[in-house]
Amino acid sequence: MAMTATADHARADPHHIGVVIEHPGPAPKRIVTAYGFWIFLLSDIVMFSCFFAAYAVLVGQTAGGPKGAEIFEQRNVAIETVCLLLSSFTCGMASIAADVRNRFWFYLGMSVTCVLGLIFLAIEFREFANLVARGYGPSRSAFLTTFFSLVGCHGLHVSAGILWLLTMMAQVFAKGFRADILRRMMCFALFWHALDIIWVAIFSVVYLLGSAP
Amino acid sequence: MSDEMHLTAHHDLAPGEEEQHSVGERILGYVVGLALALLLTATSFFIAGTDLVWQPSIPVALIVLAIAQMGVHLVFFLHITTGPDNTNNVLALAFGLLIVFLVVGGTVWIMAHLNANMPPMDQIMRMQ
């Protein structure tokens, strides 16, 4: 059996190295799309690393303004972190529901994800508004500039993610679980999970390390 | 021999895609990931505010915990594994991490040296 199989595939193994490489043709579109989106996410993470580098360099340049330990409130950050973590979980539940084509659990998972994302954004917005009101806006010092750009850039990503989330719900509502919709849903789940990874870096490096006296 | 041939005909897994699992197993995977992530987050917040541990170890501990949690997210939420069907995804991740470490590490290294070798600001002002 092995002999005949080898003979059948002789042309696929011209150098007789023993490993026959079959060519199954291009990968399915689902794999190509998700892989391309994974590359985009990695480039997004590289962009965030530039903001992190700028923050690390300028964290001590407070120009007489407040230090991180004076303006960070750990309780708010803990609530934000739990919101984002739970929303990552519910997003995973929604993508499982989409794979098994269960509309009820899909809508429920996505709605909970949306609400948790909005709570996160509300807390962050209140923190920013509070800082600006106290005169600690992004123009106060180099430290605050980099703080607002880094955390604000993540907040912008979350806002864009929520718009995308609502779009996905509308698309499933209007078009059902078609193959192309499921591909978009897969990309959205990747995006949302990647945002959570970046938030882990932000709360550890900015808020927790910055709170140390 | 023929087994080898058929192995190569398999397609890779897309990032975020799991091997064939039942719904229950997939949900369990997310639950385990969530529990681990919550545990690591709680540890981070506890360590940052406590004086029970040796103070100079806190920054290192926070960074180690953050990297561990990112690993948990990658494995349980993004389903990036070291399996043979995930090679493309892991290689892309490895390249991304290389760039991240070059950017962050290189910036911090160079700027710290520039800062150390720079004369104090009042000296620069007098030179002008």
Side-chain angles (χ1 to χ4, degrees), chain B residues 40-112:
Chain B
L40 288 166
T41 305
T43 315
S44 284
F45 275 87
F46 171 73
I47 284 207
T50 185
D51 47 8
L52 286 176
V53 296
W54 188 52
Q55 296 299 304
S57 72
I58 289 179
V60 183
L62 284 176
I63 287 174
V64 170
L65 285 166
I67 292 174
Q69 192 172 345
M70 288 183 207
V72 167
H73 282 246
L74 279 176
V75 171
F76 289 96
F77 293 161
L78 287 141
H79 309 301
I80 304 293
T81 67
T82 50
D85 46 9
N86 245 300
T87 315
N88 288 335
N89 308 336
V90 170
L91 279 179
L93 174 67
F95 182 69
L97 286 183
L98 172 72
I99 305 296
V100 166
F101 280 116
L102 284 180
V103 168
V104 176
T107 308
V108 170
W109 184 29
I110 291 174
M111 293 308 288

Side-chain angles (χ1 to χ4, degrees), chain A residues 18 20 27-28 30-31 34-35 38 42 46 49 57 81 85 89 92-93 96 99-100 186 190 193 196-197 201 204 209, chain B residues 1 8 11-12 14-15 17 23 26 30-31 37-38 41 59 62 66 70 73 77-78 88-89 92-93 99 104 107 111:
Chain A
V20 178
R30 185 176 163 82
I31 291 178
Y35 186 68
W38 177 231
L42 287 166
V46 167
S49 78
V57 167
T81 306
L85 198 52
F89 176 76
M93 294 301 105
I96 294 178
D99 284 344
V100 298
M186 197 176 172
L190 283 172
H193 293 318
D196 206 8
I197 291 187
S204 299
L209 281 181
Chain B
M1 187 74 204
T8 52
H11 278 295
D12 291 342
E17 200 168 46
V23 173
R26 292 184 64 186
Y30 278 98
V31 171
L38 278 175
T41 305
L62 284 176
M70 288 183 207
H73 282 246
F77 293 161
L78 287 141
N88 288 335
N89 308 336
L93 174 67
I99 305 296
V104 176
T107 308
M111 293 308 288

Side-chain angles (χ1 to χ4, degrees), chain A residues 30-112:
Chain A
R30 185 176 163 82
I31 291 178
V32 176
T33 308
Y35 186 68
F37 197 74
W38 177 231
I39 303 284
F40 159 73
L41 285 178
L42 287 166
S43 72
D44 214 30
I45 288 174
V46 167
M47 185 207 68
F48 266 103
S49 78
C50 300
F51 281 93
F52 273 106
Y55 178 81
V57 167
L58 295 171
V59 67
Q61 313 299 316
T62 50
K67 284 184 179 158
E70 298 162 33
I71 54 172
F72 297 153
E73 288 177 40
Q74 279 206 10
R75 210 180 109 262
N76 280 348
V77 181
I79 299 173
E80 283 179 297
T81 306
V82 170
C83 280
L84 220 51
L85 198 52
L86 287 178
S87 82
S88 227
F89 176 76
T90 54
C91 175
M93 294 301 105
S95 47
I96 294 178
D99 284 344
V100 298
R101 292 166 170 68
N102 184 324
R103 274 178 190 265
F104 172 74
W105 285 102
F106 173 79
Y107 288 133
L108 184 67
M110 291 295 258
S111 311
V112 176

Side-chain angles (χ1 to χ4, degrees), chain A residues 116-130:
Chain A
L116 288 168
L118 286 175
I119 295 176
F120 172 88
L121 279 179
I123 297 176
E124 185 161 279
F125 182 79
R126 220 184 48 186
E127 181 196 4
F128 280 8
N130 189 21

